[in-house]
Amino acid sequence: MVVGETQVLDDDRSGMAARPCGDGGPGSARAGLPGAVDRLRRELAAYRPLLPDRTVAEDELDALAGQAAAAELPGAALDTEGLRHSLLLVAAALGSVSALTTPLDDLREAVETLAPPR
C-alpha cells in the first residue's frame, strides 16, 4: 500500500497498477534507490526509541547509498549481491519496527527493481 500517491490502473482494467510516470527503465530505477535510502534515513533519524541495531541499519544505508552513487558512474556495474545483502541487514535491524514499515518497503522495492530476488 502506498500512502499519499494515487494508483492508476492499466487500460485493460486488470487491477494491476501501472508504473508511475517517469519509471521508464534502469536509469530511473537506479534513481529510485537513493530516494528510498534517503527517506528511510530520515524516518530512522526521527524515530527516537532505542533500537539495538540502529548502527547496523545506518551503516548498511550508507553502503546502499554508496552502491547507488557508484552505479551512477558511466559503465558501472551494479553489485547485486551487495545490494541484496545490505537490504537483508537493514530489514533484519528494522523489520520489526512498524513505524518504519513503509519506508523499508520502499527500499525493498527499489533494491528488488535493480537486483531481483532469485
Side-chain angles (χ1 to χ4, degrees):
M1 181 172 140
V2 178
V3 178
E5 292 183 21
T6 303
Q7 201 173 42
V8 178
L9 299 178
D10 286 330
D11 286 339
D12 68 2
R13 301 289 182 210
S14 66
M16 297 296 293
R19 287 183 166 215
C21 293
D23 189 15
S28 58
R30 287 182 183 199
L33 182 58
V37 168
D38 288 343
R39 178 174 179 209
L40 183 52
R41 241 191 218 146
R42 284 190 312 272
E43 297 283 337
L44 180 57
Y47 188 77
R48 301 311 322 150
L50 176 67
L51 290 172
D53 293 327
R54 181 184 295 264
T55 302
V56 171
E58 290 169 342
D59 289 348
E60 292 307 316
L61 288 171
D62 289 344
L64 283 165
Q67 292 171 39
E72 296 282 321
L73 299 174
L78 282 172
D79 176 10
T80 57
E81 288 300 315
L83 289 171
R84 284 194 286 270
H85 181 75
S86 291
L87 174 63
L88 178 64
L89 292 174
V90 171
L94 305 177
S96 64
V97 181
S98 62
L100 300 175
T101 299
T102 301
L104 185 56
D105 284 346
D106 292 345
L107 179 66
R108 179 191 50 79
E109 289 174 13
V111 169
E112 287 181 354
T113 298
L114 296 171
R118 292 180 258 158

